[in-house]
Amino acid sequence: MFRDIIDRIKEAGEYILRSRLVSLIVIFILTSSILIGRLFYLQIVRGADYLENYELQIRKTKEIPGTRGNIYDRNGNLLAYNELAYSVTIEDTLSTDLSTSEKNEALNKILDRVLEIVESHGDSVIDSFGIILDSAGNYQFTQSSETQRLRFVADVYGLTTIDLLTSEQRSQSAADIVHHLCTDPVYGYGLDDSKEDPAYILKMVNMRYAINLNSYQQYMSTILASDVSDETAAAIMENKDTLTGVDIEEDSLRRYTDGEYFSSIIGYTGQISQEEYNALDSDEKKQYSLSDIVGKSGLEQTLDSVLQGKKGKTTFYVDNLGKVTDTVSRTEPEAGNDVYLTIDKDLQEQTYHLIEEKVAGIVLEKLQNVLNYDPESANSASDLIIPVSDVYHAFINNNIVDAAHFGSDDAGPAEKEVYEAFQKKKASAISDIMAQLRDSNAAPYDELSDEMQDYMDYISITILERDTDLLLTDQIDTSDETYNAWRNEENISLYTYLNYAISQNWIDTSKLGGSSYTSSEEIYQELLNYLEDYLNNDSDFDKLLYEYLIKSEGVSGAQICATAYEQGALPMDEDDYNGLRDGSVSAYSWIREKIENLEITPGQLALEPCSGGAVVSDPQTGEVLACVSYPGYDNNRLANTMDSSYYQQLNTGLSRPFYNKATQERTAPGSTYKMVSAVAGLTEGVINGGSIINCSGVFTEVTPSPKCWISPGAHGGLDVVSALQESCNVFFYTVGYDLGIDDEGNYDSELGIQKLAEYAQMFGLGETSGVEIPESDPQISDEYAVQSAIGQGTNNYTVSQLNRYVAAVANSGTVYSLTLIDRTTDSNGKLISDNEPEVVNTMDNISSSTWDLVHEGMERMVSSSSTFAGLDISMAGKTGTAQISDTHPDNALFVGYAPTDNPEIAIAVRIANGYNSSYSAEIGRDITQIYFDLDGSDKIVTGKAAELGQANAGD
């Protein structure tokens, strides 16, 4: 039995040994053992090494931006180009296993070291965040409007619209925003802003915020510092082993030639914002990423798709130091197209200088050594002066010097003296203001001093209505008796008005800080506490205080002027500085000298006048040869990585350099409009070439009776040619009146307006001119036919629109679309598109005899004016003066063309608050002289304030 069992086992064993399954099982066991052993070796014995090698030798795909196209003038002069430079960048290569706090700590350590290296070699990290430090070391927003500020705050909180902001978020200060970004438990940067220096914190926030704009995407680089030196680049590369993700990349930076003259046309580039990216359609979003550089303004923006190069792509492996170990594939980027403008670079620059020198000449002409001046004391706008106190105040008011620095530890002697006087003035003024606001028996507004009235206005309008919205203006009943007593009749105090506003629920108590109030008295007391704190910390109120401190001679002009040397606003001149300090140099004489030499420019002073615009075009094609807005700005400081402090200075500047004076600023055209009225009157038959209209100095057909500029004199009988020559208002009042006579012989102003508007439309004044940069919409007058016929009423046009209009006069009725673009080529110079002249309208119903009469009138205007005496080319033109108010100088305008027989250029010039149209005409004359290279044209631009010709009466 036992043997049988043994035999069976042997038989089974022999069977198994002969079976193929056994072989398979043995092979499976052996191979499994090998695999298990190999896995043990890889994962246990060498696991850490291989994991590190896997993480650090990763495959990456990176976009390569295309080179942006160049911009040239019509003659091939380079205006915008690209320059290779080094940038310090960072990518997210930190371990994904780190917690938020650990990642913050690691990243901040890296950025701290980057900051140290960059600054040790004289370079700077990026400064594009929407918050800066003032000279007192306080955080402040760079946005000039409340809407812009709220848009920035919404971006910080990752909200798509400002409507999603909570009331708490809306009211946050710049310091609150920085604190939030530093310390928020979820999204904060892990920075201790309570212990670190604000300047250091802001630099770190700038870098962290830029990284966050890229959402710190894996292997997408963020620029931390641009255009760094070779020394910085070398130091970064030497420390790459400890600077995880940091690298030096060759970057293409946008540069502008003579940017100040062309900034209003070309604009500048910068990193695309979240708002701009969100505005793209789905197809465009495929072409852009949040790290892309795009046009932010001007032609850079409107032609971005033309100038923008096509991206390339590279796929590669990198090692643990970020070094490329293998390139898998590469698609080369393509350069953007080049754009040639119609602009003549030399004419553009010369025209800019002409405006600056002429405006400086007007300032000097009107400047007087007076501290206290009431503009209402002038008999007319032409009699207004510029008191020197306004110039001294402009140093502070338009930030030529930084008043916040006066109290700094490193302030100069003059700064400290001014600051001490200011502190006393501020304490006294706020004390007086609060006493006024606490007194139920306070004097009514109309019995207060001019200074106290200005303070009350500042509180009620600037603070309560404009800056804080504490006063709910949309809920105010403007017919309310108490409201009108304050706003119009001015016979109650601000105390009375504010208490009444509280009773009517016109005050937004939620902004006062308290949770609940039991009485109106509590609300008013909280409002007073709010106002007192606000005034103590408001830099704009400080500027108002300085105005009265200067007028009262609490500080001297010499002290203010000396601060410009101490702060480096002007290069130090020891003799002048010491002379200002010891009284041997007159501050008034010093000011005049600096303005005359353009060491201090009208744009810096931002007085009236301080700005101007001019457009020169070819009336046969619509090509713009010059399009000047004064003052300009250095767009090199805004391109690529923005200089936030400079941007804020421009954005808050009282001369508004971002606002294009040639294409965006609208004013009444004044008498430059009279060619429209002449063509309308001649074509409609209310006058003809032989019609004589008598000017007695007053037009008596309507009430009130408007006067001619010559009143109390009179022009007597004039035909249309002499009316244009003399710019007789009564003649054109009559034309406007007669255009409004209906079939029954009655005057209908609406009918006159309708006919004038019809002809204005023919001249292209009903639409923008066509230039490829932002342009304000024109406004054809819709009331008062009589006044509209001389360019008043509600007529409002830009210089560019007036230029197209006078070009149509010059060529006898062909209205072209103005253009700044000549042609587009690829990077190799191959023509892509040639911009052909575009005709908008032809005035075929206007007879040649009508054009002859209008041309003759304009030619006589020039030939009879002393302004154009000696001009060696035939020219036609028309001056215009647009009134603003009795307390502000008139706007001065000129339109014209040359030569008269075959016009090559059409010119439109406006000096805002330029007093007299003769000054604009002088610019038009000089542009003509320079364009045709006439004798003496090389001596017209002198680099100094222009000497003014005799201001002619009339317009």
Side-chain angles (χ1 to χ4, degrees):
M1 185 69 176
F2 179 74
R3 181 175 290 180
D4 289 341
I5 293 173
I6 295 297
D7 290 341
R8 288 178 180 178
I9 291 172
K10 288 181 179 180
E11 289 177 1
E14 291 174 356
Y15 174 78
I16 290 173
L17 290 173
R18 290 194 303 268
S19 173
R20 294 180 179 178
L21 182 61
V22 173
S23 300
L24 291 175
I25 291 173
V26 170
I27 292 172
F28 176 77
I29 292 171
L30 290 174
T31 55
S32 296
S33 299
I34 294 170
L35 286 173
I36 290 171
R38 185 62 177 167
L39 286 173
F40 179 84
Y41 176 79
L42 292 175
Q43 293 186 4
I44 305 302
V45 178
R46 297 291 305 278
D49 293 339
Y50 280 106
L51 178 60
E52 181 180 8
N53 191 52
Y54 171 76
E55 288 179 340
L56 295 179
Q57 296 193 36
I58 193 165
R59 176 172 169 148
K60 298 167 60 175
T61 298
K62 191 172 186 177
E63 289 183 334
I64 309 170
T67 304
R68 196 170 182 85
N70 295 331
I71 300 177
Y72 300 87
D73 85 334
R74 67 187 299 111
N75 300 313
N77 294 306
L78 196 59
L79 302 179
Y81 61 98
N82 308 293
E83 185 175 87
L84 292 178
Y86 291 127
S87 292
V88 182
T89 64
I90 189 169
E91 296 181 3
D92 180 10
T93 56
L94 293 175
S95 172
T96 56
D97 293 334
L98 296 176
S99 66
T100 299
S101 61
E102 290 172 333
K103 194 165 189 177
N104 272 334
E105 183 179 355
L107 183 54
N108 290 339
K109 185 177 180 180
I110 294 169
L111 296 181
D112 177 80
R113 179 62 178 142
V114 168
L115 177 62
E116 180 184 352
I117 293 173
V118 168
E119 292 191 335
S120 68
H121 293 91
D123 292 317
S124 302
V125 296
I126 55 175
D127 180 27
S128 55
F129 189 51
I131 292 174
I132 61 173
L133 285 177
D134 62 22
S135 58
N138 299 313
Y139 297 112
Q140 65 179 91
F141 292 108
T142 61
Q143 299 77 29
S144 60
S145 73
E146 181 67 4
T147 300
Q148 290 174 329
R149 186 189 71 83
L150 291 176
R151 178 62 262 173
F152 167 70
V153 174
D155 287 343
V156 168
Y157 282 98
L159 304 175
T160 54
T161 67
I162 61 177
D163 295 333
L164 298 176
L165 288 168
T166 66
S167 58
E168 180 182 357
Q169 290 169 340
R170 284 172 173 268
S171 62
Q172 285 191 325
S173 66
D176 293 333
I177 294 295
V178 171
H179 182 71
H180 163 77
L181 289 173
C182 289
T183 61
D184 184 81
V186 178
Y187 302 107
Y189 302 154
L191 296 167
D192 190 348
D193 60 326
S194 65
K195 294 182 180 179
E196 296 287 355
D197 178 64
Y200 171 80
I201 289 293
L202 192 57
K203 292 168 186 174
M204 293 292 288
V205 167
N206 262 282
M207 292 187 285
R208 289 296 305 267
Y209 190 74
I211 292 170
N212 275 16
L213 287 179
N214 283 345
S215 302
Y216 203 21
Q217 298 177 53
Q218 286 273 318
Y219 310 110
M220 176 178 283
S221 62
T222 298
I223 294 176
L224 301 178
S226 63
D227 197 14
V228 298
S229 64
D230 292 342
E231 292 77 13
T232 295
I236 291 291
M237 296 303 292
E238 289 172 5
N239 288 273
K240 277 193 66 175
D241 57 334
T242 59
L243 299 175
T244 306
V246 177
D247 201 356
I248 292 293
E249 294 184 9
E250 201 171 58
D251 196 13
S252 178
L253 300 183
R254 197 62 162 173
R255 303 294 194 202
Y256 302 102
T257 307
D258 300 327
E260 181 180 18
Y261 311 118
F262 298 92
S263 54
S264 60
I265 300 174
I266 295 178
Y268 56 93
T269 62
Q271 187 170 330
I272 191 171
S273 68
Q274 184 69 56
E275 188 175 13
E276 289 169 327
Y277 183 78
N278 292 341
L280 299 174
D281 61 36
S282 56
D283 290 335
E284 290 174 324
K285 285 181 178 177
K286 296 175 183 177
Q287 304 172 33
Y288 291 90
S289 67
L290 284 170
S291 62
D292 283 348
I293 297 297
V294 298
K296 304 293 281 189
S297 71
L299 290 173
E300 288 279 30
Q301 183 178 45
T302 56
L303 298 178
D304 188 72
S305 60
V306 176
L307 295 164
Q308 190 78 250
K310 187 175 180 181
K311 296 177 183 177
K313 185 189 295 184
T314 181
T315 302
F316 53 91
Y317 286 95
V318 294
D319 62 16
N320 62 334
L321 293 178
K323 182 179 178 181
V324 176
T325 59
D326 185 30
T327 299
V328 179
S329 64
R330 180 181 175 90
T331 303
E332 294 298 329
E334 297 178 15
N337 296 323
D338 294 336
V339 174
Y340 288 78
L341 305 185
T342 60
I343 295 293
D344 183 309
K345 179 177 183 290
D346 292 337
L347 184 64
Q348 176 83 8
E349 294 181 4
Q350 297 284 65
T351 301
Y352 184 95
H353 288 304
L354 287 174
I355 294 175
E356 181 172 64
E357 292 178 10
K358 190 66 63 178
V359 174
I362 299 171
V363 171
L364 285 178
E365 176 77 15
K366 298 298 179 178
L367 182 62
Q368 292 188 22
N369 195 11
V370 174
L371 290 180
N372 282 287
Y373 175 69
D374 182 3
E376 294 184 358
S377 64
N379 295 323
S380 66
S382 61
D383 293 327
L384 291 166
I385 69 165
I386 299 174
V388 72
S389 58
D390 284 0
V391 179
Y392 300 147
H393 184 233
F395 274 63
I396 294 170
N397 202 35
N398 204 41
N399 302 312
I400 297 175
V401 296
D402 183 1
H405 188 266
F406 292 169
S408 301
D409 292 338
D410 60 343
E415 290 182 272
K416 291 178 179 177
E417 291 168 2
V418 172
Y419 186 68
E420 182 180 359
F422 168 74
Q423 288 292 87
K424 293 178 181 177
K425 174 68 176 178
K426 186 171 186 177
S428 173
I430 292 179
S431 176
D432 291 345
I433 290 169
M434 299 314 298
Q436 177 79 11
L437 293 177
R438 291 190 179 100
D439 186 359
S440 60
N441 297 313
Y445 178 91
D446 58 2
E447 295 180 13
L448 298 174
S449 66
D450 290 344
E451 181 174 351
M452 187 56 71
Q453 284 183 351
D454 279 352
Y455 295 155
M456 295 297 105
D457 287 339
Y458 187 84
I459 291 170
S460 63
I461 299 173
T462 303
I463 297 178
L464 296 180
E465 291 186 15
R466 191 190 70 188
D467 290 351
T468 67
D469 293 324
L470 265 169
L471 197 60
L472 304 171
T473 53
D474 57 337
Q475 296 185 22
I476 294 177
D477 177 8
T478 55
S479 65
D480 184 272
E481 182 178 343
T482 303
Y483 173 81
N484 279 292
W486 167 255
R487 199 59 176 258
N488 301 317
E489 298 172 13
E490 301 179 346
N491 58 9
I492 63 173
S493 68
L494 185 55
Y495 173 95
T496 302
Y497 174 59
L498 291 181
N499 276 280
Y500 182 77
I502 290 171
S503 71
Q504 298 298 305
N505 295 318
W506 295 348
I507 299 291
D508 186 354
T509 57
S510 67
K511 295 183 177 181
L512 295 178
S515 56
S516 62
Y517 302 96
T518 60
S519 66
S520 296
E521 290 77 11
E522 282 190 13
I523 295 175
Y524 187 65
Q525 184 56 50
E526 191 61 37
L527 177 60
L528 293 186
N529 294 339
Y530 180 93
L531 289 173
E532 185 170 14
D533 182 65
Y534 195 99
L535 292 173
N536 272 301
N537 294 282
D538 181 14
S539 60
D540 287 334
F541 179 65
D542 289 349
K543 292 178 179 179
L544 180 59
L545 292 174
Y546 273 112
E547 178 182 353
Y548 282 99
L549 189 61
I550 290 167
K551 287 180 177 180
S552 66
E553 298 185 80
V555 297
S556 68
Q559 288 172 312
I560 296 293
C561 296
T563 65
Y565 285 127
E566 292 177 351
Q567 291 193 3
L570 290 172
M572 176 57 75
D573 183 320
E574 294 288 349
D575 291 339
D576 274 0
Y577 174 72
N578 292 328
L580 288 167
R581 298 291 293 141
D582 63 26
S584 60
V585 171
S586 159
Y588 177 69
S589 299
W590 183 89
I591 283 289
R592 292 192 67 90
E593 179 189 345
K594 296 305 175 188
I595 296 173
E596 182 177 1
N597 294 330
L598 297 178
E599 294 174 74
I600 297 173
T601 66
Q604 287 177 291
L605 292 172
L607 302 174
E608 294 180 344
C610 69
S611 64
V615 175
V616 184
S617 71
D618 182 342
Q620 310 303 333
T621 63
E623 293 183 350
V624 177
L625 307 175
C627 181
V628 173
S629 176
Y630 176 82
Y633 59 91
D634 184 0
N635 46 2
N636 286 291
R637 296 180 65 179
L638 303 181
N640 311 303
T641 301
M642 179 178 287
D643 181 339
S644 295
S645 297
Y646 182 61
Y647 176 82
Q648 191 212 25
Q649 179 185 340
L650 297 173
N651 210 23
T652 58
L654 300 178
S655 58
R656 301 189 299 170
F658 282 144
Y659 191 60
N660 193 315
K661 309 304 188 298
T663 66
Q664 291 179 298
E665 185 175 66
R666 301 185 312 167
T667 59
S671 293
T672 62
Y673 184 85
K674 286 175 178 174
M675 286 82 80
V676 174
S677 301
V679 169
L682 290 165
T683 306
E684 293 296 319
V686 300
I687 56 171
N688 58 47
S691 299
I692 301 296
I693 295 175
N694 184 63
C695 169
S696 63
V698 181
F699 183 73
T700 58
E701 295 298 322
V702 295
T703 303
S705 299
K707 297 179 180 180
C708 187
W709 65 263
I710 203 171
S711 179
H715 284 114
L718 298 171
D719 60 16
V720 66
V721 171
S722 54
L724 284 170
Q725 175 186 339
E726 300 294 336
S727 197
C728 176
N729 288 348
V730 169
F731 185 96
F732 290 100
Y733 287 148
T734 305
V735 171
Y737 183 85
D738 289 348
L739 286 171
I741 300 298
D742 62 22
D743 294 338
E744 298 178 358
N746 298 315
Y747 172 65
D748 180 358
S749 180
E750 291 297 320
L751 178 61
I753 281 292
Q754 179 183 340
K755 289 184 178 179
L756 283 171
E758 178 184 338
Y759 285 87
Q761 290 277 4
M762 290 182 192
F763 279 105
L765 290 173
E767 59 187 10
T768 53
S769 70
V771 290
E772 294 86 355
I773 54 178
E775 183 178 19
S776 298
D777 291 326
Q779 180 178 342
I780 295 175
S781 183
D782 56 4
E783 59 184 19
Y784 311 125
V786 168
Q787 289 85 347
S788 296
I790 68 161
Q792 295 180 3
T794 56
N795 281 306
N796 264 305
Y797 308 106
T798 66
V799 177
S800 52
Q801 289 150 14
L802 292 178
N803 178 276
R804 180 166 74 164
Y805 146 61
V806 77
V809 174
N811 65 37
S812 300
T814 301
V815 181
Y816 288 97
S817 181
L818 294 189
T819 182
L820 296 164
I821 310 303
D822 180 24
R823 64 189 185 276
T824 302
T825 70
D826 65 16
S827 58
N828 296 315
K830 181 181 178 181
L831 183 67
I832 294 176
S833 65
D834 196 356
N835 200 14
E836 297 293 330
E838 179 185 348
V839 176
V840 177
N841 182 42
T842 55
M843 301 171 68
D844 299 325
N845 63 324
I846 310 301
S847 68
S848 59
S849 61
T850 290
W851 290 120
D852 290 343
L853 291 168
V854 170
H855 292 162
E856 184 180 354
M858 294 178 69
E859 290 168 27
R860 283 197 194 176
M861 179 265 152
V862 169
S863 62
S864 64
S865 170
S866 61
T867 298
F868 298 89
L871 184 65
D872 295 330
I873 195 169
S874 61
M875 188 173 187
K878 186 72 195 76
T879 54
T881 302
Q883 297 176 343
I884 302 172
S885 73
D886 291 338
T887 58
H888 295 277
D890 299 335
N891 293 323
L893 301 101
F894 171 79
V895 297
Y897 58 88
T900 56
D901 56 344
N902 184 26
E904 294 182 35
I905 57 170
I907 301 168
V909 180
R910 177 171 58 225
I911 303 174
N913 306 113
Y915 283 89
N916 192 287
S917 57
S918 294
Y919 304 142
S920 289
E922 290 172 9
I923 294 175
R925 173 203 65 200
D926 292 345
I927 289 172
T928 303
Q929 204 162 346
I930 288 171
Y931 179 82
F932 290 103
D933 195 22
L934 303 179
D935 287 344
S937 60
D938 58 333
K939 298 180 178 65
I940 291 175
V941 174
T942 64
K944 293 189 174 185
E947 294 184 7
L948 304 181
Q950 180 65 41
N952 297 324
D955 57 0

